Amino acid sequence: MIIGVPKEIKDNEFRVGMVPSGVRAAVEAGHSVLVEKGAGLGSSVADAEFASAGAGIVGTAEEVYARAGIIIKV
């Protein structure tokens, strides 16, 4: 399954739906994870941390929604 994590867009919402440890667990369970570029910045989680955990970083929320079978949001 492809899991998508878009950036939150609600005012003053700085959390991210999945952190790198969750990405790693999902990848180890055989899933793919796509994270929108900059999704974790409000939570002090860099794209490189998501990538190191096994996520693919994509440029837009539209791409996350188009490719993922399930979306993780706050």
Side-chain angles (χ1 to χ4, degrees):
M1 174 178 294
I2 299 175
I3 300 167
V5 184
K7 189 182 319 180
E8 296 295 329
I9 59 172
K10 185 175 180 183
D11 285 342
N12 297 312
E13 181 56 77
F14 302 108
R15 297 173 293 172
V16 62
M18 183 180 274
V19 294
S21 60
V23 169
R24 184 171 290 108
V27 170
E28 288 174 355
H31 303 291
S32 297
V33 180
L34 298 175
V35 177
E36 181 183 359
K37 182 179 178 181
L41 294 180
S43 295
S44 299
V45 182
D47 291 341
E49 293 177 72
F50 285 115
S52 291
I57 307 300
V58 297
T60 65
E62 290 78 14
E63 187 174 357
V64 172
Y65 283 103
R67 294 176 56 189
I70 188 170
I71 301 295
I72 305 294
K73 291 184 58 66
V74 173

